[in-house]
Amino acid sequence: MITVLCIDDEADIRKLLVEEFQDAGVSTLEAGNGREGLDMMMNHWPDIVVCDVSMPVMNGHELLAEIQINHPQFSQTPFIMLTAMTDKENTLAGLQGGAEVYLTKPVDLDVLMAKIHGCITRIENNRASGHGL
Amino acid sequence: MISHEFRTPLAIIDAAAQRLTRSRTATAPDYLMEKSLQIKSAVARMVELMESMLAAGRIETGAISINRQECSLRALIEECVKRRREISPGHRIHMDLEGLPASIALDAQSIERAVSNLLSNAVKYAPHSPDVFVRGWQDRETVSISVVDKGIGMDADDLPRLFQPYFRARSASGIAGTGIGLNIVREIVELHGGTITAESVIGEGTTFIINIPLIKQETKEQAA
């Protein structure tokens, strides 16, 4: 089963996203900031990460940088940024930092789920062909 | 940054509504109630933010004025706490307001804004420490209100600039905020002839104390 890790400091946002992912038949993990998210990644190896940008302790950009520099084993894990930060500077920082896509809140859940399903298809195809993602 | 502050509660409202409208089966009453509470809490958060921004605008243009009228400060604080509990159900707000006088001449609307801003701050900067303590008391010619959280606190170096407009403490990095709330509180308190103090220890929490002088009858009449 595919596992999605949802990282957001807003508990209501996490809850709504987790419900949506679970309805789609995926397993979910939750974290309230980048540091907790990284711990979750190291302990549970999620297949996809959905991550906010502005969070205490470690923000989304810092988590992406931490993955790229110190945890390359996760560098191919699809990383979806989902944030209220709509400015170009943050968008470019997220995409250049390695995010798969940069979505802004409020998000159309159909669009988010289309992206999740796209990632799942790719992961399953890679698994079927013997390539890890 | 202000756009970001609005987008977060909007995202909660929007996602909750999407979840409800996308449901293909009859919605269970409990689920309906849960989503309604999420929406209600996010709307209350937006209203608070909007009122803070309006107050900031009035302060900037000098359009804010104080209209003192006898009111129950205790009831006013209880109302603020009730609203905050709706917005932040994960926090426990403890009140000790027994020491407040039955009635005091204040501009209720602006003091309500000040107390709401302090409660909002206490909750926001204590995401993992759910207990917030609100106390009110009278000491001779002064009434005082303290709001204490056990949250992230801030560096001593940041305290002198804490009430400046748009200032954010370094420890607030990554926590959404506009930096206008505490400036509004100070302006409102000073318009009442009062003072506000802050004490904080990084990693241990922050205490704000508002002191407002009880105005004498003749002064009240002048103010009226």
Side-chain angles (χ1 to χ4, degrees):
Chain A
M1 185 186 254
I2 295 291
T3 300
V4 176
L5 169 61
C6 185
I7 310 172
D8 200 305
D9 58 331
E10 290 282 344
D12 278 340
I13 297 267
R14 280 203 314 272
K15 189 171 174 56
L16 288 156
L17 293 177
V18 160
E19 283 173 8
E20 187 72 13
F21 298 149
Q22 288 176 350
D23 280 359
V26 302
S27 172
T28 55
L29 297 166
E30 292 182 53
N33 60 58
R35 173 60 58 194
E36 286 178 11
L38 186 59
D39 289 343
M40 281 280 182
M41 292 180 80
M42 290 165 71
N43 289 323
H44 301 281
W45 285 75
D47 301 291
I48 300 167
V49 176
V50 176
C51 185
D52 188 15
V53 168
S54 183
M55 293 179 288
V57 186
M58 181 188 278
N59 69 34
H61 295 312
E62 290 165 343
L63 173 58
L64 257 181
E66 182 69 18
I67 289 170
Q68 301 297 339
I69 295 165
N70 294 321
H71 303 277
Q73 70 271 31
F74 301 125
S75 63
Q76 298 303 308
T77 303
F79 195 101
I80 296 170
M81 277 191 152
L82 177 58
T83 171
M85 310 300 279
T86 56
D87 57 290
K88 188 174 176 180
E89 193 181 340
N90 270 294
T91 308
L92 291 178
L95 295 173
Q96 286 166 355
E100 170 99 10
V101 65
Y102 189 95
L103 299 174
T104 56
K105 298 172 184 170
V107 69
D108 185 324
L109 292 177
D110 288 334
V111 172
L112 175 62
M113 292 315 295
K115 191 66 213 172
I116 294 281
H117 285 303
C119 291
I120 291 172
T121 302
R122 203 167 79 230
I123 291 164
E124 288 175 343
N125 286 343
N126 280 331
R127 281 180 185 168
S129 64
H131 297 102
L133 187 72
Chain B
M1 187 55 81
I2 284 169
S3 156
H4 169 250
E5 283 281 286
F6 274 109
R7 279 178 177 273
T8 301
L10 265 177
I12 294 168
I13 295 165
D14 183 60
Q18 286 186 66
R19 292 281 306 153
L20 287 171
T21 54
R22 288 149 59 96
S23 178
R24 291 185 183 85
T25 55
T27 309
D30 285 354
Y31 187 74
L32 196 58
M33 177 60 75
E34 184 193 302
K35 291 289 152 276
S36 302
L37 289 174
Q38 279 178 332
I39 291 171
K40 195 163 179 279
S41 165
V43 168
R45 189 166 152 183
M46 288 188 70
V47 169
E48 280 231 344
L49 182 60
M50 196 175 64
E51 284 178 356
S52 257
M53 293 188 64
L54 289 171
R58 285 197 296 271
I59 284 169
E60 275 181 13
T61 58
I64 196 163
S65 61
I66 295 300
N67 177 24
R68 288 183 190 251
Q69 290 188 336
E70 291 288 333
C71 67
S72 165
L73 181 57
R74 179 178 173 159
L76 183 155
I77 295 171
E78 284 172 346
E79 184 59 30
C80 293
V81 168
K82 183 182 159 200
R83 277 207 306 274
R84 178 47 53 185
R85 283 175 175 154
E86 280 180 11
I87 299 171
S88 311
H91 280 77
R92 296 184 293 263
I93 305 176
H94 310 273
M95 282 189 286
D96 174 7
L97 306 175
E98 295 299 323
L100 286 175
S103 178
I104 173 173
L106 293 169
D107 182 298
Q109 196 180 0
S110 60
I111 291 294
E112 201 172 312
R113 170 77 0 243
V115 173
S116 292
N117 283 8
L118 289 182
L119 287 172
S120 170
N121 255 51
V123 166
K124 190 187 296 181
Y125 297 111
H128 303 300
S129 305
D131 292 303
V132 173
F133 302 87
V134 183
R135 195 162 83 83
W137 69 97
Q138 179 178 354
D139 181 14
R140 295 183 188 174
E141 297 300 307
T142 304
V143 288
S144 302
I145 306 161
S146 66
V147 177
V148 179
D149 70 68
K150 303 293 179 190
I152 60 172
M154 66 194 91
D155 291 304
D157 293 356
D158 284 339
L159 286 172
R161 291 187 292 158
L162 195 57
F163 298 102
Q164 290 175 6
Y166 307 108
F167 176 75
R168 308 278 327 272
R170 281 165 289 177
S171 58
S173 172
I175 298 178
T178 58
I180 58 177
L182 289 177
N183 176 246
I184 291 169
V185 177
R186 186 186 64 179
E187 294 288 335
I188 288 169
V189 170
E190 289 183 351
L191 282 167
H192 281 82
T195 58
I196 179 166
T197 59
E199 291 176 10
S200 191
V201 177
I202 196 93
E204 293 185 14
T206 303
T207 297
F208 287 99
I209 301 179
I210 289 176
N211 299 299
I212 298 173
L214 288 164
I215 62 165
K216 293 183 172 61
Q217 190 59 37
E218 58 270 28
T219 317
K220 266 190 274 182
E221 282 164 5
Q222 284 166 8

